[in-house]
Amino acid sequence: NAGVTQTPKFQVLKTGQSMTLQCAQDMNHNSMYWYRQDPGMGLRLIYYSASEGTTDKGEVPNGYNVSRLNKREFSLRLESAAPSQTSVYFCASRRASGSGETQYFGPGTRLLVL
Amino acid sequence: GQQLNQSPQSMFIQEGEDVSMNCTSSSIFNTWLWYKQDPGEGPVLLIALYKAGELTSNGRLTAQFGITRKDSFLNISASIPSDVGIYFCAGNTDSNYQLIWGAGTKLIIKP
């Protein structure tokens, strides 16, 4: 049981290049999330997927697209990277039960856009 | 919109001291979560709170869900070097799938 996994761990892009960040969870959770974290700041939600087949914008969606490929996988795509997208990106999945909800996080992808 | 204030922003403490941090919201929450993030890692859940007044411990950590449902605190007793990191609170209402996050409390232990 690996929990939430993310690839790659590190990436350097030039302005205008595109890339896809991959995320997978093996906990059979319905909801998945993409956050970005900038130095000295908390987490900001980019997009989320409440269930397979649905996606919704979060607080900072501009410049990103997402795909909920299946229940396990939720990818984040940067079509034309900009220096402002230099950040650490975290994927999370949500467990919701009668007692309440919890989100579990992956180890992060560190992205540098030059 | 909903806001969540976490304080203090940072703490410098001596090893062995007790630590206290808190979060307050402008809205009523149904869930309060406390996470710790080590450098280069993702946040890891420490304690989850789901009922007003609930007091929950996890080893040397204790957290409470405020009676008003608009606040929560986290206490760490007898701090040790591995407690260093950034602590985040997060909460939500029933209305959506999104968590509201605090900006974090950075804990630093003085040598």
Side-chain angles (χ1 to χ4, degrees), chain A:
Chain A
N1 188 337
V4 180
T5 56
Q6 293 183 236
T7 56
K9 290 186 178 179
F10 303 95
Q11 184 71 49
V12 179
L13 292 178
K14 295 180 180 178
T15 297
Q17 286 186 316
S18 63
M19 77 162 295
T20 300
L21 283 65
Q22 307 287 352
C23 174
Q25 52 94 8
D26 61 3
M27 297 176 282
N28 201 36
H29 291 167
N30 286 321
S31 303
M32 298 182 73
Y33 302 77
W34 276 105
Y35 293 90
R36 63 177 287 173
Q37 185 178 36
D38 299 302
M41 297 183 66
L43 296 162
R44 292 188 291 169
L45 183 64
I46 303 171
Y47 271 93
Y48 68 100
S49 170
S51 60
E52 185 178 354
T54 69
T55 60
D56 286 285
K57 295 178 180 180
E59 180 185 355
V60 288
N62 291 343
Y64 305 95
N65 286 299
V66 290
S67 295
R68 184 72 183 270
L69 304 171
N70 47 55
K71 192 171 186 179
R72 289 188 64 250
E73 299 171 290
F74 187 37
S75 63
L76 178 72
R77 183 160 178 84
L78 287 70
E79 289 291 351
S80 179
S84 62
Q85 293 179 305
T86 293
S87 189
V88 181
Y89 291 86
F90 290 102
C91 177
S93 69
R94 171 180 179 258
R95 175 185 67 83
S97 66
S99 61
E101 75 157 86
T102 308
Q103 287 189 17
Y104 297 90
F105 285 81
T109 294
R110 282 143 189 84
L111 176 65
L112 173 63
V113 183
L114 301 174

Side-chain angles (χ1 to χ4, degrees), chain B residues 36-39 80-87 106-109:
Chain B
K36 183 189 178 210
Q37 185 177 28
D38 291 323
I80 60 177
S82 62
D83 290 335
V84 165
I86 303 176
Y87 293 79
K106 188 173 185 178
L107 184 61
I108 301 164
I109 295 184

Side-chain angles (χ1 to χ4, degrees), chain B residues 58-110:
Chain B
N58 178 4
R60 293 178 294 105
L61 279 62
T62 301
Q64 185 161 28
F65 193 140
I67 293 291
T68 65
R69 296 170 65 191
K70 290 186 175 183
D71 63 330
S72 177
F73 72 74
L74 174 70
N75 287 341
I76 305 173
S77 63
S79 58
I80 60 177
S82 62
D83 290 335
V84 165
I86 303 176
Y87 293 79
F88 290 100
C89 61
N92 83 335
T93 66
D94 279 336
S95 61
N96 56 55
Y97 290 86
Q98 301 182 40
L99 286 176
I100 310 298
W101 289 84
T105 294
K106 188 173 185 178
L107 184 61
I108 301 164
I109 295 184
K110 293 183 246 185

